[in-house]
Amino acid sequence: MPHVLLIEDDASVRDGMELVLRRHGYGVETAATGEQALALLAGERGARVELAVLDLMLPGMDGFEVCRRIRARTATLPVIMLTARGDDRDIVTGLEAGADDYVVKPVTAPVLEARIRAALRRAEPYPRQGPDGQGPDADRTDHAGLVIDRAGLTVTKHGVALALPPTELRVLLELSASPGRVLTRDQLLASVWDHTFLGDSRLVDAAVGRLRAKIEDVPARPRYVQTVRGFGYRFGPL
């Protein structure tokens, strides 16, 4: 039974979402503030949390800061943010803070549950696959000092291990599977987020931006993950 941490200050919304999730078979922990959520994650109950659903508009510490602190603590916990306004700036800021996905309130139960299932799938082990897509014949590849181990799901740069959240790791694995090949944002949305998921390019752009901050020497002048204007992204290195 997957365990979800629901961080929502509106008691009626929180209770309704908790009921829906429990009916779908999820274990649910709840918090009304960011401070409560972070304290819960730091304790024994936090050890079983596999995903967080985080409202951005919280009293006291807002959801953006909560997300940053979650990411500072762990790279692997999927975070889905809830935004009431659907404001572009809020969405972009939340994604830049480390959220993996977002939904705009009011959200229906099927949509929320589908997003949670997709996020949990992204956190599962990635299939072993070589660059030609046919097998594990090139599980460990060195790209000018950036070493990607597809079997061990690890990435190192000049011998230093990099902690990549599941979404960023999957973006890197997809791009690096075929160096030089351009993948459109729609292709990355389908392969990384979920082939049934109707998302938008901000998810891809934010994940690439966070990935570049970790793997590039100068993120503004990327060597490894390059933008092909008007099309999408390709993996180098230059």
Side-chain angles (χ1 to χ4, degrees), residues 6 8-19 30-32:
L6 176 59
E8 167 63 64
D9 64 306
D10 187 314
S12 61
V13 174
R14 186 174 64 248
D15 291 346
M17 294 177 75
E18 179 181 5
L19 179 61
T30 63

mmCIF file of all heavy atoms in Angstrom, residues 6 8-19 30-32:
data_model
loop_
_atom_site.group_PDB
_atom_site.id
_atom_site.type_symbol
_atom_site.label_atom_id
_atom_site.label_comp_id
_atom_site.label_asym_id
_atom_site.label_seq_id
_atom_site.Cartn_x
_atom_site.Cartn_y
_atom_site.Cartn_z
ATOM 1 N N LEU A 6 -0.256 14.197 2.498
ATOM 2 C CA LEU A 6 -1.122 15.242 1.961
ATOM 3 C C LEU A 6 -0.944 16.493 2.807
ATOM 4 O O LEU A 6 -1.265 16.497 4.003
ATOM 5 C CB LEU A 6 -2.569 14.770 1.986
ATOM 6 C CG LEU A 6 -3.642 15.750 1.542
ATOM 7 C CD1 LEU A 6 -3.400 16.220 0.109
ATOM 8 C CD2 LEU A 6 -5.033 15.111 1.678
ATOM 9 N N GLU A 8 -2.147 20.139 3.157
ATOM 10 C CA GLU A 8 -3.239 21.019 2.739
ATOM 11 C C GLU A 8 -3.829 21.679 3.986
ATOM 12 O O GLU A 8 -4.188 20.992 4.940
ATOM 13 C CB GLU A 8 -4.295 20.198 2.000
ATOM 14 C CG GLU A 8 -5.620 20.869 1.771
ATOM 15 C CD GLU A 8 -5.529 22.098 0.885
ATOM 16 O OE1 GLU A 8 -5.168 21.954 -0.294
ATOM 17 O OE2 GLU A 8 -5.831 23.200 1.391
ATOM 18 N N ASP A 9 -3.943 23.010 3.962
ATOM 19 C CA ASP A 9 -4.419 23.708 5.157
ATOM 20 C C ASP A 9 -5.935 23.766 5.255
ATOM 21 O O ASP A 9 -6.488 23.912 6.351
ATOM 22 C CB ASP A 9 -3.854 25.132 5.204
ATOM 23 C CG ASP A 9 -4.342 25.992 4.055
ATOM 24 O OD1 ASP A 9 -4.188 25.565 2.901
ATOM 25 O OD2 ASP A 9 -4.870 27.091 4.313
ATOM 26 N N ASP A 10 -6.658 23.647 4.147
ATOM 27 C CA ASP A 10 -8.120 23.677 4.160
ATOM 28 C C ASP A 10 -8.636 22.321 4.622
ATOM 29 O O ASP A 10 -8.488 21.314 3.915
ATOM 30 C CB ASP A 10 -8.645 24.004 2.761
ATOM 31 C CG ASP A 10 -10.144 24.221 2.724
ATOM 32 O OD1 ASP A 10 -10.880 23.413 3.321
ATOM 33 O OD2 ASP A 10 -10.579 25.200 2.088
ATOM 34 N N ALA A 11 -9.254 22.289 5.808
ATOM 35 C CA ALA A 11 -9.649 21.016 6.412
ATOM 36 C C ALA A 11 -10.648 20.254 5.549
ATOM 37 O O ALA A 11 -10.559 19.017 5.433
ATOM 38 C CB ALA A 11 -10.236 21.259 7.801
ATOM 39 N N SER A 12 -11.600 20.957 4.938
ATOM 40 C CA SER A 12 -12.601 20.264 4.131
ATOM 41 C C SER A 12 -11.977 19.646 2.883
ATOM 42 O O SER A 12 -12.303 18.515 2.504
ATOM 43 C CB SER A 12 -13.727 21.223 3.741
ATOM 44 O OG SER A 12 -13.242 22.308 2.966
ATOM 45 N N VAL A 13 -11.061 20.383 2.234
ATOM 46 C CA VAL A 13 -10.365 19.848 1.063
ATOM 47 C C VAL A 13 -9.479 18.682 1.473
ATOM 48 O O VAL A 13 -9.446 17.631 0.813
ATOM 49 C CB VAL A 13 -9.527 20.942 0.380
ATOM 50 C CG1 VAL A 13 -8.677 20.347 -0.743
ATOM 51 C CG2 VAL A 13 -10.428 22.042 -0.172
ATOM 52 N N ARG A 14 -8.761 18.844 2.581
ATOM 53 C CA ARG A 14 -7.854 17.800 3.055
ATOM 54 C C ARG A 14 -8.623 16.523 3.387
ATOM 55 O O ARG A 14 -8.220 15.420 2.989
ATOM 56 C CB ARG A 14 -7.093 18.302 4.275
ATOM 57 C CG ARG A 14 -6.009 17.350 4.772
ATOM 58 C CD ARG A 14 -5.197 17.969 5.892
ATOM 59 N NE ARG A 14 -5.994 18.226 7.094
ATOM 60 C CZ ARG A 14 -6.293 19.431 7.552
ATOM 61 N NH1 ARG A 14 -5.880 20.510 6.907
ATOM 62 N NH2 ARG A 14 -7.020 19.580 8.652
ATOM 63 N N ASP A 15 -9.740 16.668 4.099
ATOM 64 C CA ASP A 15 -10.519 15.487 4.481
ATOM 65 C C ASP A 15 -11.092 14.791 3.254
ATOM 66 O O ASP A 15 -11.111 13.554 3.179
ATOM 67 C CB ASP A 15 -11.652 15.891 5.430
ATOM 68 C CG ASP A 15 -11.133 16.342 6.793
ATOM 69 O OD1 ASP A 15 -9.944 16.099 7.084
ATOM 70 O OD2 ASP A 15 -11.919 16.945 7.541
ATOM 71 N N GLY A 16 -11.571 15.583 2.281
ATOM 72 C CA GLY A 16 -12.133 14.992 1.073
ATOM 73 C C GLY A 16 -11.089 14.242 0.274
ATOM 74 O O GLY A 16 -11.340 13.126 -0.212
ATOM 75 N N MET A 17 -9.895 14.838 0.136
ATOM 76 C CA MET A 17 -8.830 14.182 -0.625
ATOM 77 C C MET A 17 -8.328 12.951 0.110
ATOM 78 O O MET A 17 -8.026 11.926 -0.517
ATOM 79 C CB MET A 17 -7.692 15.170 -0.870
ATOM 80 C CG MET A 17 -8.077 16.332 -1.770
ATOM 81 S SD MET A 17 -6.749 17.540 -1.968
ATOM 82 C CE MET A 17 -5.670 16.653 -3.075
ATOM 83 N N GLU A 18 -8.255 13.022 1.425
ATOM 84 C CA GLU A 18 -7.819 11.852 2.197
ATOM 85 C C GLU A 18 -8.795 10.696 2.009
ATOM 86 O O GLU A 18 -8.384 9.537 1.817
ATOM 87 C CB GLU A 18 -7.712 12.205 3.683
ATOM 88 C CG GLU A 18 -7.280 11.016 4.538
ATOM 89 C CD GLU A 18 -7.195 11.348 6.016
ATOM 90 O OE1 GLU A 18 -7.552 12.476 6.407
ATOM 91 O OE2 GLU A 18 -6.760 10.461 6.780
ATOM 92 N N LEU A 19 -10.103 10.998 2.031
ATOM 93 C CA LEU A 19 -11.106 9.951 1.860
ATOM 94 C C LEU A 19 -10.971 9.302 0.491
ATOM 95 O O LEU A 19 -11.014 8.065 0.361
ATOM 96 C CB LEU A 19 -12.504 10.557 2.030
ATOM 97 C CG LEU A 19 -13.683 9.586 1.861
ATOM 98 C CD1 LEU A 19 -13.617 8.476 2.901
ATOM 99 C CD2 LEU A 19 -15.008 10.354 1.973
ATOM 100 N N THR A 30 -1.418 13.229 6.944
ATOM 101 C CA THR A 30 -1.848 14.581 6.623
ATOM 102 C C THR A 30 -1.116 15.608 7.474
ATOM 103 O O THR A 30 -0.660 15.318 8.582
ATOM 104 C CB THR A 30 -3.370 14.753 6.838
ATOM 105 O OG1 THR A 30 -3.676 14.552 8.219
ATOM 106 C CG2 THR A 30 -4.157 13.781 5.972
ATOM 107 N N ALA A 31 -1.003 16.813 6.910
ATOM 108 C CA ALA A 31 -0.416 17.945 7.627
ATOM 109 C C ALA A 31 -1.124 19.205 7.154
ATOM 110 O O ALA A 31 -1.425 19.346 5.968
ATOM 111 C CB ALA A 31 1.085 18.043 7.375
ATOM 112 N N ALA A 32 -1.390 20.123 8.085
ATOM 113 C CA ALA A 32 -2.092 21.367 7.752
ATOM 114 C C ALA A 32 -1.132 22.504 7.454
ATOM 115 O O ALA A 32 -1.542 23.527 6.911
ATOM 116 C CB ALA A 32 -3.026 21.761 8.897
#
